[in-house]
Amino acid sequence: MIAAFIVLSVCAIVSAFHQVTPEYPMSLFSLMLINEGMVLLTALLYGITAHFVIAIINRIKGNY
């Protein structure tokens, strides 16, 4: 989970650098903040989904 978050954070920063242009009205900091927010949301949803899947598999196996 931490490795996925780190990889997604690096991708978010790189994409912010690619998105910033002189004619684009948003600053680099704003773009990084928006992209990092999406990374946090994605990591949170991934973590919740992974834990539910593991809990369901354990329940099916009988390992409470």
Side-chain angles (χ1 to χ4, degrees):
M1 174 96 169
I2 293 173
F5 177 73
I6 291 170
V7 169
L8 286 172
S9 290
V10 170
C11 291
I13 292 171
V14 169
S15 71
F17 277 109
H18 283 286
Q19 286 175 337
V20 70
T21 57
E23 60 273 355
Y24 200 67
M26 293 186 79
S27 66
L28 179 62
F29 177 74
S30 297
L31 286 172
M32 283 181 161
L33 196 61
I34 291 169
N35 289 349
E36 286 295 328
M38 289 189 288
V39 166
L40 285 172
L41 181 65
T42 302
L44 178 69
L45 292 175
Y46 169 73
I48 290 171
T49 305
H51 282 89
F52 275 127
V53 168
I54 291 171
I56 290 169
I57 290 171
N58 284 337
R59 188 163 296 248
I60 289 171
K61 284 182 167 180
N63 301 335
Y64 299 98

